[in-house]
Amino acid sequence: MAAIHADRLYLRRRIINVVALALSCVAAIVGLVFLAWILWTLVSKGITGINWELFTRDTPPPMAEGGLRNALFGSAMMCGLAILIGAPLGVAAGTWLAEYGATSRVATVVRFVNDILLSAPSIVLGLFVYTLVVAQVGHFSGWAGALALALIVLPVVVRTTDEMLQLVPGTMREAALSLGIPQWKVTMQVLYRSALPGIVTGILLALARISGETAPLL
């Protein structure tokens, strides 16, 4: 009786597994079909609009011909300014967290606030800059947009720099310091060279994030 019960249980599990696998495959196929449909519609209807005028003419008024030159240039300008503002500050803050204030209570608070900024919605940061800058001067500007994007860049670069510097082996620090090299020179010439690929990756990730935020402007 026990063997018969076990066989029935095994058969039922196999049937359930086959049904679940079949439903999963059907759901995946349906999703891929709709995705391919959307992609084909986008390409087939949008390919005719890609021409030289799209990149050389400004955004036209409704029902008129034009391009996206001003939007592309404005997005590139704001992203570049955001990186120029946020990346150096983020690298400096991440360096302090990893090398100078790693065990202090202030570093714990800074990491906590940075994690909050890292997960904060971009609309919240935009409203903050709007209240702080746009509402005070009375008009919109590219500088305000760059500042809002810099607040998105900052926590990403801080977190990446902190993590990458912590991954550098402590023996490299000890070896450099044992030669009498100052701490700042150890950081600049030893630690940054070892952590440079990770830091650059963090900056590129931040650039990708803010590029996604400026995409609706196009």
Side-chain angles (χ1 to χ4, degrees):
M1 293 296 295
I4 296 175
H5 179 71
D7 291 340
R8 290 178 178 176
L9 181 61
Y10 179 69
L11 179 60
R12 185 178 65 180
R13 289 178 177 176
R14 287 190 60 184
I15 294 174
I16 294 175
N17 182 68
V18 171
V19 172
L21 182 61
L23 292 177
S24 300
C25 292
V26 170
I29 292 173
V30 171
L32 290 175
V33 168
F34 279 103
L35 181 61
W37 184 19
I38 294 173
L39 182 61
W40 168 252
T41 303
L42 177 65
V43 173
S44 62
K45 294 185 178 297
I47 194 67
T48 57
I50 299 178
N51 49 45
W52 183 247
E53 294 182 352
L54 179 69
F55 305 99
T56 58
R57 298 177 64 179
D58 291 337
T59 304
M63 306 305 294
E65 296 184 356
L68 297 175
R69 182 182 62 177
N70 58 333
L72 293 172
F73 177 77
S75 297
M77 180 191 70
M78 287 192 295
C79 288
L81 288 175
I83 292 295
L84 290 177
I85 296 172
L89 292 176
V91 172
T95 303
W96 180 83
L97 288 174
E99 301 298 324
Y100 297 95
T103 58
S104 65
R105 293 183 177 179
V106 178
T108 303
V109 175
V110 172
R111 286 193 177 96
F112 177 73
V113 174
N114 186 75
D115 290 340
I116 293 176
L117 287 175
L118 191 61
S119 59
S122 57
I123 186 63
V124 175
L125 301 177
L127 288 175
F128 173 75
V129 174
Y130 178 84
T131 304
L132 191 66
V133 179
V134 177
Q136 302 301 322
V137 300
H139 60 82
F140 295 98
S141 66
W143 289 104
L147 182 59
L149 295 177
L151 293 179
I152 300 176
V153 170
L154 185 61
V156 178
V157 179
V158 170
R159 183 65 176 271
T160 306
T161 304
D162 184 17
E163 295 291 339
M164 291 301 103
L165 290 176
Q166 290 185 27
L167 291 177
V168 177
T171 53
M172 297 184 64
R173 298 177 176 85
E174 296 172 359
L177 292 173
S178 66
L179 298 176
I181 302 177
Q183 177 69 35
W184 67 269
K185 189 171 289 188
V186 173
T187 302
M188 296 293 296
Q189 298 185 359
V190 178
L191 302 182
Y192 278 165
R193 289 184 179 181
S194 299
L196 183 61
I199 295 175
V200 172
T201 300
I203 295 175
L204 292 178
L205 288 174
L207 179 60
R209 184 179 179 186
I210 62 176
S211 299
E213 297 297 337
T214 58
L217 298 178
L218 302 179

